[in-house]
Amino acid sequence: MSKRNQGIMLAIIGTMFWGISGPFAQALFAQNVKPLWLVGARLLLAGILLSQVLICV
């Protein structure tokens, strides 16, 4: 896969995750999840995903 196609694919995946995060957060807030916990979980997940991307590249 070329670098250009890989960049396009990563941009599309990133926008999908960004679009999903709002409704997902609202659903969690409706279940009385604390915002601070959600921020920590999102940062942890983002770090894991970024590590995997950097390892694979």
Side-chain angles (χ1 to χ4, degrees):
M1 178 182 303
S2 71
K3 291 282 187 181
R4 182 176 188 270
N5 288 342
Q6 184 179 11
I8 291 171
M9 185 175 62
L10 290 174
I12 290 170
I13 291 169
T15 56
M16 287 179 1
F17 279 133
W18 181 75
I20 291 170
S21 69
F24 185 69
Q26 283 183 340
L28 288 175
F29 291 148
Q31 299 296 322
N32 295 325
V33 172
K34 297 195 184 297
L36 188 58
W37 183 89
L38 183 58
V39 168
R42 287 173 66 178
L43 286 173
L44 180 63
L45 181 61
I48 291 169
L49 289 173
L50 183 58
S51 297
Q52 293 301 311
V53 168
L54 292 176
I55 289 171
C56 293
V57 172

